[in-house]
């Protein structure tokens, strides 16, 4: 049976970007299907009935949901090339811990920065930078979170780089000024084709954000 | 490395701490259990988990591992000669991880929603939500167990641990609210599974007694209804 691989995705989604990067790291051919989140397709609703969200990876008709679960699935199924997780159990636990930290602290933190104003936004900015600095500390002087090779935690975090521009404009601050090492790391990641092909133009994300804000009447 | 001393920082009422204990028991790994007082966290806990300051923390040799499901995976990978905890097939593993995340992100919060409900209407809605989740999990059991005893097949596995650890709190909730959440009529597969899970040698000594947990719960829930002023 010919293998089929489809990614149901939405172009500005950080979660979708993680899956795109993982597939490209492994050099796997897949069909990208752009989803309209305001008018969800029957396929999306069938493949992810619990959450009705993207990304969903459909492998030979079987759906896998939740971005980090998808990335681990990709790593375990296509073992031959570019391991995304380290082999040492302790290092694996660390990689998973920091990817989980990104999910718990960075997504919401960023949303608070662009969606608030005034004093609330000031607080949100401060909190966000603190959280980014924690990650900067974890990175240290290593080229990637995984050490010498690009891996799981890098994949979890790098999609947010495409959104930094939007946060900076909305809240009038420079992430590079506060976290220079993190931005160096991000630029290093962007040198990889798997990353640069998977992240949209930050300006396009900003235009979308303005549109979404207008729709929400903000 | 597998031979280094193992310490687990936890608390007896905590379901997520139980996950680590069950995993260690399945692998027959001896460990020192350190009971934490969550109102007065130890220096060791604060140093070992500076980011979240939460239990469980597994300290293996001198290296801390945090987050219960990450700990379970770590245990499975280090003591790899013992019975396997994670499914070996990548798709089954992705499915198990999906449901474990659903239980943590949606189902357990809906269960605590019952205790937090401020009036009868809210309580009824919360109970309904928990029941809907259990219907999904009943279906998940059918698919994952493939006719066998546990989510993991013949043996207690990752998803059994992820979900089963909440059975104590589920029983307490049933008792305190006079409802049946898992029952032979509504969720026959889960009802049978729950009995077998709680009787498993790796589980029975670390699952708190319902009465003891209920006493603890009364104190805890009083705080929900009258939150202390911050």
């Amino acid at each position: 049976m010919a293998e089929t691989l489809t990614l149901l995705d939405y172009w500005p989604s950080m979660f979708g970007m993680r899956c795109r990067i993982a597939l490209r790291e492994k050099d796997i051919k897949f069909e990208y299907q752009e989803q309209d989140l305001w008018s969800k397709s029957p396929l999306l609703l069938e493949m992810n009935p619990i959450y009705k969200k993207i990304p969903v990876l459909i492998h030979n008709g079987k759906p896998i949901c939740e971005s980090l679960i998808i990335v681990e699935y990709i790593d375990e199924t296509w073992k031959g090339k570019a391991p995304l997780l380290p082999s040492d159990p302790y290092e694996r636990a660390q990689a998973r811990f920091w990817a989980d930290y990104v999910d718990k602290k960075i997504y919401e933190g960023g949303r608070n920065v662009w969606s608030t104003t005034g004093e609330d936004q000031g607080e949100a900015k401060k909190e966000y930078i603190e959280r980014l600095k924690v990650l900067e500390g974890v990175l240290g002087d290593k080229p990637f979170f995984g050490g010498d090779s690009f891996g799981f935690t890098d994949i979890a975090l790098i999609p947010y780089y495409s959104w930094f521009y939007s946060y900076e404009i909305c809240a009038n601050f420079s992430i590079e000024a506060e976290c220079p090492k993190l931005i160096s790391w991000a630029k290093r990641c962007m040198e990889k084709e798997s990353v640069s092909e998977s992240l949209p133009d930050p300006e396009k994300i900003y235009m979308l954000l303005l549109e979404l804000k207008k729709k929400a009447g903000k | 490395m597998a031979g280094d001393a193992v310490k687990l920082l936890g608390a007896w009422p905590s379901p997520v701490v139980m996950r680590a204990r069950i995993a260690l028991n399945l692998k027959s790994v001896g460990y020192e259990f350190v009971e934490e007082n969550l109102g007065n966290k130890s220096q060791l806990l604060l140093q070992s988990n500076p980011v979240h300051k939460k239990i469980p923390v597994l300290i293996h040799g001198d290296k801390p591992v945090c987050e219960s499901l990450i700990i379970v995976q770590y245990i499975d990978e280090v003591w790899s000669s013992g019975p396997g905890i994670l499914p070996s097939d990548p798709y089954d593993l992705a499915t198990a991880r999906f449901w474990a995340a659903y239980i943590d992100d949606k189902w357990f919060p809906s269960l605590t929603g019952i205790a937090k409900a401020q009036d009868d209407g809210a309580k009824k809605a919360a109970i309904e939500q928990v029941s809907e989740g259990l219907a999904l999990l009943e279906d998940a059991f059918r698919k994952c167990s493939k006719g066998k005893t546990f989510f993991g097949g013949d043996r207690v596995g990752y998803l059994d641990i992820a979900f089963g650890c909440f059975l104590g709190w589920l029983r307490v909730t049933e008792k305190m609210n006079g409802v049946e959440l898992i029952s032979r009529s509504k969720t026959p597969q889960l009802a049978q599974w729950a009995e077998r899970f709680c009787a498993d040698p790796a589980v029975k000594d670390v699952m708190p007694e319902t009465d003891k947990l209920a006493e603890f719960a009364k104190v805890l829930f009083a705080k929900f209804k009258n939150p202390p002023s911050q």
Side-chain angles (χ1 to χ4, degrees), chain A residues 48 50-51 62-66 69 72-73 76-77 88-90 92-94 96-98 100-101 104-105, chain B residues 1 49 51-52 63-67 70 73-74 77-78 90-91 93-94 97-99 101-102 105-106 136:
Chain A
N48 191 357
I50 309 287
Y51 298 114
K62 297 204 281 189
I64 303 105
C65 307
E66 297 297 290
I69 294 177
E72 289 222 50
Y73 175 80
E76 287 148 11
T77 306
D88 173 71
Y90 183 71
R92 290 162 76 83
Q94 292 306 299
R96 288 175 176 139
F97 178 86
W98 290 111
D100 178 65
Y101 178 88
K104 287 187 162 98
K105 302 282 187 186
Chain B
M1 187 204 178
N49 191 358
V51 173
H52 301 305
K63 298 202 263 198
V65 181
C66 308
E67 293 301 296
I70 293 176
Q73 291 180 90
Y74 175 80
E77 287 164 10
V78 169
Y91 191 75
L93 179 49
R97 282 181 173 138
F98 174 86
W99 286 111
Y102 168 81
D105 297 339
K106 300 280 176 215
L136 292 175

Side-chain angles (χ1 to χ4, degrees), chain B residues 106-178:
Chain B
K106 300 280 176 215
W107 187 78
F108 185 61
S110 73
L111 188 68
T112 56
I114 297 175
K116 291 178 183 169
Q118 296 293 327
D119 59 59
D120 282 341
K123 187 167 277 191
K124 201 162 166 236
I127 290 169
E128 185 57 45
Q129 228 194 335
V130 171
S131 296
E132 278 167 18
L134 287 171
L136 292 175
L137 289 162
E138 172 87 2
D139 194 51
F141 182 83
R142 268 173 233 277
K143 296 200 175 113
C144 296
S145 65
K146 300 174 197 184
K148 294 189 172 171
T149 321
F150 297 105
F151 282 94
D154 290 318
R155 285 193 309 264
V156 166
Y158 184 74
L159 186 49
D160 300 280
I161 294 173
F163 184 28
C165 67
F166 292 115
L167 287 171
W169 281 97
L170 183 123
R171 294 297 178 219
V172 165
T173 307
E174 288 177 329
K175 194 173 164 157
M176 288 174 97
N177 295 280

Side-chain angles (χ1 to χ4, degrees), chain B residues 59-86:
Chain B
I59 306 177
H60 187 201
D62 56 0
K63 298 202 263 198
V65 181
C66 308
E67 293 301 296
S68 64
L69 294 177
I70 293 176
I71 292 172
V72 172
Q73 291 180 90
Y74 175 80
I75 290 167
D76 196 39
E77 287 164 10
V78 169
W79 289 278
S80 50
S81 56
I85 295 176
L86 268 66

Side-chain angles (χ1 to χ4, degrees), chain A residues 40 50 96 117 147 190:
Chain A
K40 291 177 180 178
I50 309 287
R96 288 175 176 139
T117 51
M190 289 295 288

